[in-house]
């Protein structure tokens, strides 16, 4: 009996020790887990433009500020009423759309360019008008490879966003002028500056109708149309064929109406080639109209190349206006 009691007591002691040991181990494990959680870095907060306070400063009109004294644009800057520009958000080149200014910056004649002067001038001014710095660093080579072919202005004036350049990026939020994005970079020889005033795209294309064509011919004696052709060819594209249908509708509505179809180009390339191309396109429209049932005796076609521009061919936007087809009423 005594042996049994002794054996029971020993067994109880061993069990108690083992249980205590397991408890200690669990406590240590829990302590280690808490310690590991405490030592883990906090997740980096993602960019949110709502976190940027609105600026109450008077910032003027686009592009909102001048260059520092002694600095100038190296060439004609890239300026677009609406385009896209990529800015580094959390190290990712992110597209924003709106009014755009991009320029290479250099020193004026007789002066030396100073990287520090360029950067400090911009940083101090931007800070003074309530701009917030959201990036100051370099993007990775992988990021450059990912986005660069998406940028339609890559390699043009003031292009920023290469893997080896230090990019400084600021945002100004305003209630009256919207969000303004400014990024710049520099080395000891020159700098680059991009400014974008964010704006939503506004569709300006409207359907050309037979009624509008007839009204223009009656009131103005001509109707200016933008018919799309295949590149450097006289093949009318599908949306251009829709316009031809409307021209035919206007002619069918007034059977006595006769028109001259005139083709026009911008001044890019060879003048003789452009004249022939415009002539071929005018004749392509004539042919398409006769296929729509319009008697050829009511039509004539001739190309003028770049001889009669609507506006000077000094920008891409103006060149686009000169690439047109005109219908001229024959009296």
């Amino acid at each position: 009996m005594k042996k049994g009691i002794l054996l029971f007591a020993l067994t109880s002691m061993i069990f108690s020790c083992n249980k205590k040991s397991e408890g200690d181990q669990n406590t240590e494990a829990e302590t280690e887990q808490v310690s590991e959680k405490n030592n883990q870095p906090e997740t980096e907060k993602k960019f949110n433009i709502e976190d940027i306070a609105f600026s109450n400063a008077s910032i003027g009109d686009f592009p909102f500020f001048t260059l520092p004294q002694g600095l100038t644009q190296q060439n004609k800057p890239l300026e677009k009423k609406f385009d896209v520009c990529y800015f580094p958000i959390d190290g990712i080149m992110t597209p924003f759309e709106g009014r755009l200014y991009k320029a290479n910056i250099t020193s004026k004649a007789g002066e030396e360019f100073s990287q520090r002067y360029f950067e400090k001038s911009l940083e101090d001014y931007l800070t003074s008008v309530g701009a917030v710095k959201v990036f100051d660093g370099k993007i990775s080579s992988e990021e450059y490879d990912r986005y660069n072919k998406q940028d339609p202005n890559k390699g043009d004036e003031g292009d920023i966003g290469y893997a080896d350049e230090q990019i400084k990026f600021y945002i100004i939020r305003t209630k009256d002028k919207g969000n303004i994005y400014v990024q710049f970079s520099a080395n000891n020889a020159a700098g680059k500056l991009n400014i974008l005033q964010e704006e939503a795209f506004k569709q300006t294309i409207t359907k050309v109708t037979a009624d509008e064509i007839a009204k223009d011919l009656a009131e103005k004696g001509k109707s200016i149309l933008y018919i799309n052709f295949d590149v450097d060819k006289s093949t009318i594209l599908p949306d251009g064929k829709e316009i031809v249908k409307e021209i035919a509708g206007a002619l069918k509505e007034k059977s006595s109406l006769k028109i001259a179809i005139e083709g026009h180009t911008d001044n890019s390339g060879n003048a003789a080639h452009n004249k022939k191309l415009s002539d071929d396109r005018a004749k392509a429209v004539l042919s398409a109209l006769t296929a729509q049932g319009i008697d050829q005796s009511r039509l004539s076609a001739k190309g003028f190349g770049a001889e009669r521009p609507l506006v000077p061919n000094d920008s891409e936007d103006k060149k686009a206006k000169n690439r047109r087809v005109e219908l001229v009423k024959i009296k």
Side-chain angles (χ1 to χ4, degrees):
M1 183 70 178
K2 289 181 178 179
K3 290 182 179 180
I5 293 172
L6 181 59
L7 181 60
F8 176 77
L10 289 170
T11 303
S12 298
M13 289 174 64
I14 293 170
F15 177 76
S16 176
C17 290
N18 287 341
K19 189 173 182 180
K20 183 178 180 181
S21 177
E22 290 174 3
D24 291 343
Q25 289 176 357
N26 289 338
T27 302
E28 290 175 2
E30 290 173 0
T31 302
E32 287 177 1
Q33 289 176 359
V34 172
S35 177
E36 287 176 3
K37 288 181 180 179
N38 290 337
N39 290 332
Q40 287 179 352
E42 293 184 8
T43 303
E44 186 177 343
K45 188 176 181 181
K46 293 295 183 181
F47 170 81
N48 183 354
I49 198 164
E50 299 297 329
D51 294 334
I52 298 177
F54 285 103
S55 169
N56 295 318
S58 176
I59 61 172
D61 296 321
F62 187 88
F64 306 113
F65 54 88
T66 65
L67 294 177
Q69 186 175 355
L71 301 184
T72 187
Q73 298 161 164
Q74 187 171 10
N75 304 303
K76 183 179 179 181
L78 184 150
E79 295 185 85
K80 300 287 185 71
K81 290 182 180 178
F82 185 87
D83 211 320
V84 63
C85 189
Y86 285 74
F87 296 85
I89 298 291
D90 297 326
I92 303 299
M93 295 304 286
T94 306
F96 292 94
E97 296 178 329
R99 190 171 181 181
L100 179 62
Y101 167 93
K102 300 178 75 173
N104 291 321
I105 309 301
T106 188
S107 57
K108 291 184 176 179
E111 298 189 31
E112 291 292 327
F113 182 85
S114 166
Q115 178 180 351
R116 178 60 178 162
Y117 173 67
F118 173 69
E119 292 178 339
K120 185 165 178 56
S121 295
L122 290 178
E123 288 185 308
D124 285 0
Y125 179 78
L126 289 169
T127 301
S128 74
V129 295
V132 176
K133 183 189 287 187
V134 296
F135 185 83
D136 189 347
K138 301 178 181 180
I139 64 169
S140 66
S141 297
E142 292 76 15
E143 174 56 18
Y144 174 77
D145 292 339
R146 180 197 66 81
Y147 97 94
N148 81 89
K149 291 183 180 179
Q150 301 173 32
D151 186 350
N153 299 311
K154 207 82 208 132
D156 211 322
E157 288 298 308
D159 187 26
I160 293 174
Y162 295 88
D164 60 343
E165 71 177 323
Q166 188 78 19
I167 306 169
K168 298 180 187 292
F169 173 33
Y170 286 76
I171 295 178
I172 310 171
R173 285 190 80 199
T174 70
K175 292 183 178 180
D176 58 335
K177 299 181 185 295
N179 300 325
I180 298 154
Y181 302 87
V182 181
Q183 66 180 353
F184 53 94
S185 67
N187 54 33
N188 287 329
K192 293 184 286 186
L193 174 63
N194 297 172
I195 303 170
L196 182 133
Q197 182 178 16
E198 189 173 25
E199 293 178 359
F201 175 70
K202 297 175 183 176
Q203 180 58 264
T204 58
I205 297 174
T206 58
K207 179 179 172 60
V208 176
T209 66
D211 288 344
E212 289 174 338
I213 293 171
K215 182 180 179 182
D216 283 345
L217 288 169
E219 295 180 358
K220 303 174 185 176
K222 69 165 60 176
S223 179
I224 299 173
L225 303 172
Y226 294 91
I227 299 174
N228 287 327
F229 297 85
D230 204 354
V231 177
D232 207 33
K233 295 180 181 179
S234 59
T235 306
I236 303 174
L237 295 178
D239 56 348
K241 291 179 180 179
E242 292 299 317
I243 297 177
V244 171
K245 287 181 183 179
E246 298 299 325
I247 299 171
L251 291 170
K252 289 175 181 178
E253 187 68 25
K254 191 170 183 180
S255 58
S256 62
L257 182 61
K258 295 182 179 182
I259 60 170
I261 304 163
E262 298 182 353
H264 301 272
T265 69
D266 62 31
N267 66 347
S268 300
N270 180 271
H273 173 78
N274 286 340
K275 191 164 186 176
K276 182 179 185 307
L277 178 63
S278 66
D279 193 66
D280 290 343
R281 288 178 170 178
K283 289 176 180 175
V285 173
L286 184 152
S287 179
L289 286 171
T290 58
Q292 294 281 329
I294 305 301
D295 194 316
Q296 189 169 339
S297 64
R298 300 172 62 191
L299 309 170
S300 67
K302 186 176 181 180
F304 293 90
E307 294 173 2
R308 300 180 180 181
L310 280 179
V311 292
N313 286 291
D314 55 8
S315 72
E316 287 304 316
D317 289 342
K318 290 181 179 179
K319 286 182 178 182
K321 287 184 178 181
N322 288 330
R323 297 192 293 268
R324 68 199 189 278
V325 171
E326 290 191 10
L327 309 181
V328 179
K329 182 179 178 181
I330 299 176
K331 298 179 180 179

